[in-house]
Amino acid sequence: MRTKLAQVGRRLLQAVPSVIGIIVISFALTRALPGDPAVYFAGAMADEKSIAEVRVALGLDRSWIEQFFIYVGNLFSGNLGVSLNTGRPVLTELMTRLPASLELTFTGLGIAILIAVPLGVLAAVRPGSWIDHMCRVLVTAGVSLPTFFTGLFLIYLFYYLLGLAPSPLGRLDILFFPPEHVTGFYTLDSLIAGDGETFVAALKQIVLPALTLGLFALAPIARMTRAAMLNALASDFVRTARANGLSSATVLGTYAFRNAALPVLTTLGMVFSFLLGANVLVEKVFSWPGIGSFAIEALIASDYAAVQGFVLSMALLFVLVNLAIDTLLTLIDPRIGLDG
Amino acid sequence: MLRFAKHARYVLSENPVTAGAFLFFTLLILLAVFGPWIAPHDPLATNASNALQAPTWAHPFGTDHLGRDVFSRVIVATRLDLGIAVSAVALSFVIGSALGCSAGFWGGWTDRIVGRVSDTIMAFPLFVLAMGVVAALGNSVENIIYATAVINLPFYARVARNETSLRREAGFVLAARISGGSDARILATQVFPNILPPMMVQISLNMGWAILNAAGLSFIGLGVRPPAAEWGIMVAEGATYIVSGEWWLALFPGAALMLAVFCFNLMGDGLRDLVDPSRRT
């Protein structure tokens, strides 16, 4: 156990350079603006005085090094600037919208895992069967699908033609009140509040966008599961287990799958990164009030502080998710800590 | 060369899907080059009396909300979409292989710095980083290209670095060194031509992704401005009409985009089989 803890600690330290790199790049992005950044941050309506105020606030009248440390200091005190669009601090805006995006992303990821992992396992267990072929078609088609296109197609099919889905406008039909805020996830919150009707309404809204994200994330997960499972099945320990007469369920579940799960988990980090990008497109298609929609509005209105805050927070979120995955990997990997 | 041609014919006949992808690729190139002459209508000509018409023989893909012919617009858009993706991929290929080759060849600090830069880029969700780059540089088509190039850079740098460091001590490199070639000369004439095949595979696997990214950026309203014909922005314009049942506005440009990406991905798999038979799936 001690070796495992040391491993986790070392992994935490490895995240430090990434975080520094992220902060340097986002600093560079805020200063790469052609012309005077203060004019951009102050917005189109600003006069001389407010531009000068912004210049002092951002420290633009000082050297690059000093500017960088002012930037870092602001970050650590949670000051990401003020959104020109809404007039509220960027951090507040992001935090109020984050649950909506996370709910969507995690539901999409969940759907993808639930479909892709069994599919990949079955394809590896029976290579050359129709499941294997289906898996291959899905994998190649899945990476070629533009998410926004899949989303629109699903809307056309389930909303316009079949009438099964509610109108693709946001997280909840206007007839319902959002549930009391606990987690910020409407589906969970309505369950906690014991409000069945709101739960069903929230679920109906999230199914299509989550499915869109799920279809997008499915391909890499299925491909990795199939490859990892094929690898594990071809290994010596599986052959030994078979030769010793263990049931095929034990061989597949305990021996092969537990080992195949490790590379699949590693892939999830990459998939999550792509999902954060795809999320932006899906939020636009379904008018989902998450940080993606916020960032698009900010981009169109040249609301720089908001966009940079969005980029920075997404990158930090991605680092966190990777950390969590690696910690989990260390904890479940049977090969680490045996010799310690 | 003859052996390679034979091998190519073998791989293509083994895998008719790859052959199909190559055919479709040729069609895409033809459309990109001759699109404006092939298109039956002017892609920008509006006709309010003929707006939102479902597909007919005169307008195989229907007309959009301004009465423009969707078929012509989809054809003409090929050039812009491929152009953005090709320029972005070319940029990342050139810069990425220069960085990767030097990192793999010299090692040490060069390697550490290049590795750190690629890691830092990869630490961002890439589409989100592209949005940030466009926001910082300004909202234009060139900046879409730069943003797409930046997020593709690490992939090329990594492949080039790994392939170069494998060949750093190879016999032909040592021979070139003994015969007095400078480092830069050896890199350019001995190492680089040898890492080209895996780089080509990377390009065609990457191309589809670059097209998707660029189209995604213009879908959210960055870069390409209306009334220009581009698949991403056409899908975005059509999105408004999906809920009222006018499916053809978004379907055809979206399908064109999907087919193009699909074609590049299949071609990438095919090229990988050609170049590296051991990794065939």
Side-chain angles (χ1 to χ4, degrees):
Chain A
M1 201 57 214
R2 178 173 270 170
T3 3
K4 290 205 174 197
L5 283 182
Q7 285 258 349
V8 171
R10 213 171 301 145
R11 182 61 188 81
L12 282 176
L13 280 181
Q14 277 171 7
V16 173
S18 315
V19 172
I20 295 177
I22 286 170
I23 293 178
V24 170
I25 287 201
S26 60
F27 171 75
L29 283 181
T30 58
R31 296 302 183 271
L33 309 174
D36 185 356
V39 176
Y40 288 96
F41 276 91
M45 307 291 283
D47 51 11
E48 278 301 315
K49 191 163 152 279
S50 60
I51 291 176
E53 274 169 16
V54 170
R55 186 169 290 134
V56 174
L58 290 173
L60 291 174
D61 45 353
R62 291 185 238 186
S63 74
W64 280 76
I65 311 271
E66 274 177 293
Q67 284 185 37
F68 180 71
F69 282 105
I70 292 173
Y71 180 76
V72 174
N74 280 340
L75 282 189
F76 277 103
S77 56
N79 178 6
L80 294 175
V82 174
S83 163
L84 294 174
N85 264 358
T86 59
R88 287 166 51 186
V90 172
L91 189 69
T92 327
E93 289 285 353
L94 289 176
M95 290 315 280
T96 47
R97 285 153 206 265
L98 191 62
S101 296
L102 284 184
E103 185 180 27
L104 184 57
T105 313
F106 284 130
T107 317
L109 192 61
I111 292 177
I113 294 175
L114 282 183
I115 299 175
V117 171
L119 188 69
V121 169
L122 283 178
V125 174
R126 302 194 202 298
S129 67
W130 63 271
I131 286 199
D132 192 18
H133 287 298
M134 197 177 84
C135 179
R136 196 171 304 165
V137 170
L138 259 179
V139 161
T140 323
V143 287
S144 314
L145 277 177
T147 21
F148 49 90
F149 184 60
T150 338
L152 286 173
F153 179 76
L154 289 179
I155 291 178
Y156 182 69
L157 191 63
F158 288 102
Y159 170 69
Y160 182 76
L161 285 184
L162 300 175
L164 290 175
S167 64
L169 294 168
R171 302 176 75 186
L172 209 52
D173 199 278
I174 39 166
L175 296 173
F176 292 90
F177 288 108
E180 203 178 327
H181 184 98
V182 185
T183 54
F185 291 13
Y186 279 8
T187 44
L188 282 183
D189 283 357
S190 56
L191 276 185
I192 291 171
D195 185 348
E197 277 181 32
T198 313
F199 173 70
V200 172
L203 199 64
K204 273 186 175 169
Q205 294 283 348
I206 203 172
V207 165
L208 286 192
L211 198 62
T212 311
L213 279 181
L215 284 176
F216 170 76
L218 202 136
I221 302 177
R223 176 192 284 238
M224 201 61 212
T225 312
R226 179 175 172 275
M229 204 59 192
L230 277 176
N231 237 340
L233 285 175
S235 66
D236 289 346
F237 57 83
V238 165
R239 201 186 52 195
T240 313
R242 281 220 173 103
N244 281 327
L246 292 177
S247 74
S248 65
T250 318
V251 172
L252 280 185
T254 317
Y255 285 76
F257 184 69
R258 272 192 62 187
N259 279 283
L262 300 175
V264 174
L265 258 177
T266 319
T267 328
L268 280 188
M270 205 60 214
V271 170
F272 194 81
S273 153
F274 287 132
L275 272 183
L276 287 178
N279 207 21
V280 177
L281 299 169
V282 173
E283 282 184 14
K284 176 164 160 84
V285 171
F286 289 90
S287 314
W288 196 259
I291 37 179
S293 304
F294 174 67
I296 294 177
E297 280 162 31
L299 263 173
I300 301 304
S302 302
D303 185 353
Y304 289 99
V307 177
Q308 305 308 350
F310 163 73
V311 175
L312 182 72
S313 53
M314 287 295 98
L316 293 179
L317 183 64
F318 181 38
V319 169
L320 266 182
V321 167
N322 268 334
L323 260 183
I325 287 175
D326 283 352
T327 311
L328 194 66
L329 271 181
T330 320
L331 292 179
I332 66 168
D333 189 345
R335 284 164 302 185
I336 298 176
L338 282 181
D339 47 5
Chain B
M1 204 58 221
L2 193 71
R3 256 186 73 202
F4 181 78
K6 258 187 170 170
H7 180 53
R9 216 180 59 202
Y10 169 72
V11 170
L12 287 183
S13 62
E14 274 290 276
N15 196 345
V17 180
T18 311
F22 275 102
L23 269 181
F24 189 72
F25 174 68
T26 323
L27 177 71
L28 277 180
I29 300 289
L30 288 178
L31 286 183
V33 176
F34 300 109
W37 292 285
I38 298 175
H41 299 270
D42 180 354
L44 300 178
T46 57
N47 179 2
S49 63
N50 198 19
L52 291 176
Q53 294 298 311
T56 54
W57 281 114
H59 299 282
F61 291 178
T63 59
D64 70 2
H65 55 294
L66 297 176
R68 296 174 294 196
D69 180 38
V70 177
F71 183 59
S72 308
R73 285 174 67 75
V74 168
I75 289 179
V76 171
T78 316
R79 182 184 289 180
L80 186 53
D81 274 274
L82 286 192
I84 293 176
V86 168
S87 336
V89 165
L91 262 181
S92 8
F93 171 73
V94 171
I95 302 175
S97 43
L99 288 177
C101 280
S102 3
F105 195 69
W106 284 300
W109 275 108
T110 330
D111 191 16
R112 247 167 274 166
I113 292 172
V114 171
R116 183 49 67 203
V117 170
S118 333
D119 283 354
T120 308
I121 294 178
M122 298 287 285
F124 284 88
L126 294 175
F127 186 76
V128 171
L129 179 63
M131 287 170 69
V133 171
V134 175
L137 296 179
N139 188 352
S140 70
V141 176
E142 295 95 81
N143 291 334
I144 294 280
I145 295 175
Y146 294 137
T148 313
V150 166
I151 62 174
N152 283 318
L153 196 67
F155 299 104
Y156 292 93
R158 279 184 184 179
V159 174
R161 182 205 167 272
N162 293 340
E163 298 290 335
T164 305
S165 66
L166 282 178
R167 290 169 177 78
R168 184 167 49 182
E169 307 295 336
F172 62 89
V173 173
L174 295 180
R177 188 165 289 157
I178 291 168
S179 50
S182 69
D183 276 2
R185 201 186 149 78
I186 293 173
L187 258 182
T189 62
Q190 307 294 323
V191 177
F192 185 67
N194 274 293
I195 68 162
L196 263 180
M199 294 296 277
M200 294 312 287
V201 175
Q202 180 65 30
I203 285 185
S204 68
L205 286 174
N206 206 220
M207 208 42 197
W209 197 64
I211 298 181
L212 267 188
N213 260 308
L217 288 174
S218 61
F219 177 77
I220 59 175
L222 295 177
V224 186
R225 300 288 171 90
E230 191 272 345
W231 295 331
I233 207 168
M234 287 173 72
V235 177
E237 285 169 355
T240 336
Y241 298 92
I242 277 280
V243 283
S244 50
E246 279 93 7
W247 49 270
W248 56 91
L249 266 70
L251 177 82
F252 292 111
L257 178 62
M258 198 178 75
L259 277 176
V261 178
F262 196 51
C263 159
F264 278 109
N265 286 339
L266 286 177
M267 234 170 54
D269 288 341
L271 271 182
R272 188 177 51 200
D273 291 353
L274 264 179
V275 169
D276 181 5
S278 66
R279 262 195 285 175
R280 197 176 296 170
T281 47

